[in-house]
């Protein structure tokens, strides 16, 4: 499982995030191609990067040069911009979630409904490019989970479209609700609204798990603070999914003289006798005959009994045994509420967090028959709803 750790103790902003992800290997040309799929004014922005040093540490700055004079957009306009874009569904979903967090924070600060939110600084092209660009880069890297270090509050004042505001800015402070913060840093704006929104919308709330570090990128902020290097360090890693190890015995036999009509009955008998799994596969046997490979996964203490079922119920003259180890995720069956009503699902976990939730096939088949709808449609709707829960 690929994860990203944002070591943002010195701060985070949208441009710093994109810069760090570019250092992790995302091609700038790819980012430019994907951002061109947004219906922004033609030739309204240009992307560049530059190598800088912050506190003696090398990093990358991500710069968006824009010719647009407009610096504000309604939330609905940005939603429409994303919906009509041609970027990947996952990148679009991440960008939508970030803007949704921003809109909720702005709505609360200004006492208006979310659909009435009017973005100022974060509605400008450079802010849109930072947010959507971060989502595009995360998608390219294949990041499945994001974790973030505590965020610095900073202090002082900033000038904005609303006049002079305290640091953190009111919208940023709203976005920081529920996140871990710290004050072990000097004055200045260390976390921007876009940076806070990226963490609030995408970062996991549980502690950072152990992982194997694969790469590191340093995204530099535009300012050079005297007390700490103004860098966002992004560490790409591979998390080893925890799974239980157990012992099984794999039974196998090849058949070329058994009626296929018997195979369904044989599988039922094997499963009833305690087989963990039964599978049939096609193969070409000696004398150029088509045949069937029968594979049975069995608990060690039931292997011999299952072999005797094969010998009794098929034309097999022998059964091969092979002890094996396997890694298995913890699994449980739950009843989940869906638009179709309660549905039995299979939940796979690594002991700490849910990895997959899938509807039981029998439930999908039942609903398809009851509603006279294609099985695939029922399955897709359930998978989408379960993913959003």
């Amino acid at each position: 499982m690929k994860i990203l750790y944002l070591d943002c103790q010195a701060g985070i902003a949208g441009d710093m995030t994109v810069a760090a992800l570019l250092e992790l290997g995302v091609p700038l040309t790819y980012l430019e191609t994907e951002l061109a799929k947004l219906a922004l004014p033609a030739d309204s922005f240009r992307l560049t990067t530059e190598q800088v040093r912050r506190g003696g540490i090398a990093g990358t700055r991500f710069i968006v040069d824009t010719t647009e004079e407009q610096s504000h957009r309604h939330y609905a306009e940005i939603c429409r911009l994303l919906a009509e874009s041609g970027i990947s569904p996952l990148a679009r979903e991440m960008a939508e979630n970030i803007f949704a967090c921003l809109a909720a924070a702005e709505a609360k600060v200004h006492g208006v409904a979310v659909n009435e939110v009017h973005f100022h600084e974060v509605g400008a092209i450079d802010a849109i490019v930072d947010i959507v660009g971060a989502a595009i880069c995360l998608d390219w890297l294949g990041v499945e989970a994001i974790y973030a270090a505590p965020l610095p509050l900073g202090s002082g004042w900033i000038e904005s479209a609303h006049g002079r505001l305290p640091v953190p800015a009111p919208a940023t402070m709203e976005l920081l609700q529920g996140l871990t913060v710290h004050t072990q840093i000097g004055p200045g704006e260390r976390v921007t609204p876009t940076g806070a929104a990226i963490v609030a919308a995408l970062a996991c709330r549980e502690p950072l798990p152990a992982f194997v570090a694969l790469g590191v990128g340093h995204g530099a902020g535009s300012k050079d603070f005297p007390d700490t290097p103004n860098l966002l360090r992004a560490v790409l890693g591979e998390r080893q999914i925890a799974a239980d190890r157990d012992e099984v015995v794999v039974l196998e036999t090849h058949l070329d003289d058994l009626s296929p009509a018997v195979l369904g009955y044989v599988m039922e008998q094997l499963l009833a006798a305690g087989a963990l799994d039964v599978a049939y596969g096609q193969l070409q046997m000696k004398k150029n005959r088509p045949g069937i490979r029968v594979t049975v996964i069995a608990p060690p203490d039931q292997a011999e009994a299952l072999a005797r079922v094969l010998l009794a119920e098929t034309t097999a003259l022998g059964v091969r045994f092979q002890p094996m180890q396997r890694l298995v995720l913890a699994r449980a069956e739950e009843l989940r509420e869906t638009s179709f009503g309660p549905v039995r699902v299979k939940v796979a976990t690594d002991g700490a967090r849910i990895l997959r939730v899938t509807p039981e096939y029998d439930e999908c088949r039942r609903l398809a028959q009851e509603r006279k709808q294609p099985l695939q449609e029922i399955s897709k709707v359930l998978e989408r709803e379960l993913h959003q829960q």
Side-chain angles (χ1 to χ4, degrees):
M1 181 183 197
K2 196 171 283 188
I3 70 170
L4 184 76
Y5 173 54
L6 296 173
D7 184 7
C8 41
Q9 296 189 62
I12 183 171
D15 60 336
M16 295 169 72
T17 304
V18 177
L21 299 177
L22 289 172
E23 276 209 352
L24 282 169
V26 182
L28 181 62
T29 52
Y30 174 80
L31 181 59
E32 289 172 330
T33 300
E34 291 301 298
L35 286 170
K37 297 176 182 178
L38 295 172
L40 292 170
D43 300 322
S44 58
F45 67 92
R46 184 172 65 92
L47 308 183
T48 57
T49 60
E50 69 173 352
Q51 297 303 303
V52 297
R53 289 184 180 274
R54 296 287 183 262
I57 302 173
T60 296
R61 270 200 69 203
F62 175 66
I63 304 164
V64 183
D65 292 312
T66 176
T67 58
E68 184 188 48
E69 295 182 2
Q70 177 185 0
S71 64
H72 54 84
R73 283 178 173 82
H74 281 94
Y75 175 49
E77 183 182 349
I78 291 178
C79 289
R80 186 166 55 252
L81 188 75
L82 291 170
E84 295 174 356
S85 72
I87 63 175
S88 77
L90 182 56
R92 183 173 65 247
E93 181 182 353
M94 286 190 282
E96 288 171 343
N97 290 341
I98 296 168
F99 274 111
C101 282
L102 279 166
E106 291 282 356
K108 188 170 182 181
V109 167
H110 298 294
V112 299
V114 169
N115 58 6
E116 296 176 6
V117 166
H118 197 77
F119 288 131
H120 288 275
E121 285 86 353
V122 295
I125 280 185
D126 55 350
I128 294 172
V129 167
D130 288 346
I131 291 172
V132 181
I136 290 169
C137 290
L138 289 167
D139 183 34
W140 189 91
L141 289 167
V143 173
E144 299 171 79
I146 299 171
Y147 298 84
L151 302 173
L153 289 178
S155 61
W157 301 86
I158 56 170
E159 300 299 327
S160 76
H162 297 289
R164 202 169 189 229
L165 296 175
V167 172
T172 302
M173 199 68 242
E174 281 299 323
L175 289 161
L176 294 176
Q177 303 303 305
L179 301 177
T180 304
V181 299
H182 72 88
T183 58
Q184 307 304 309
I185 204 162
E189 186 183 30
R190 307 304 177 108
V191 177
T192 67
T194 53
I198 288 170
V199 175
L202 305 181
C204 300
R205 297 299 193 265
E206 60 260 28
L208 176 69
F211 66 94
V212 177
L214 303 177
V216 61
H218 292 92
S222 57
K223 296 179 181 178
D224 196 355
F225 295 111
D227 57 337
T228 186
N230 189 19
L231 292 168
L232 168 67
R233 181 163 58 182
V235 184
L236 189 66
E238 187 74 38
R239 180 186 177 190
Q240 302 301 311
I241 296 176
D244 293 327
R245 185 184 297 272
D246 68 3
E247 305 284 338
V248 295
V249 175
V250 177
L251 313 178
E252 187 177 277
T253 190
H254 297 171
L255 307 171
D256 65 357
D257 55 354
L258 182 69
S259 169
V262 179
L263 292 173
Y265 177 78
V266 172
M267 182 179 287
E268 291 173 1
Q269 296 304 302
L270 289 166
L271 292 171
L276 299 172
D277 200 2
V278 181
Y280 297 140
Q282 300 289 333
L283 73 159
Q284 202 73 14
M285 297 179 61
K286 62 184 179 182
K287 299 182 181 178
N288 207 27
R289 295 176 184 171
I292 299 292
R293 177 189 293 109
V294 182
T295 304
V296 181
I297 300 177
D301 60 348
Q302 293 175 268
E304 186 168 335
L306 288 164
R308 294 188 182 280
V309 171
L310 281 171
L311 293 172
E313 297 290 353
T314 73
T315 55
L317 298 176
V319 178
R320 291 176 291 282
F321 289 67
Q322 188 175 6
M324 287 188 176
Q325 291 186 330
R326 64 175 186 168
L327 292 175
V328 291
L329 295 173
R331 286 163 286 181
E333 188 177 280
E334 295 181 4
L335 203 61
R336 294 283 185 96
E337 283 296 329
T338 72
S339 58
F340 299 120
V343 170
R344 284 185 301 111
V345 300
K346 192 177 297 179
V347 180
T349 71
D350 65 357
R353 57 197 297 265
I354 293 174
L355 299 176
R356 287 185 291 277
V357 180
T358 54
E360 292 283 4
Y361 166 75
D362 289 340
E363 292 284 78
C364 295
R365 183 178 63 178
R366 172 182 63 80
L367 290 168
Q369 292 173 340
E370 289 176 357
R371 295 170 176 268
K372 294 181 171 49
Q373 290 180 266
L375 177 64
Q376 290 189 40
E377 285 186 15
I378 296 290
S379 298
K380 286 179 181 177
V381 171
L382 286 175
E383 287 171 3
R384 184 170 62 249
E385 292 184 6
L386 294 168
H387 176 71
Q388 294 171 348
Q389 288 183 1

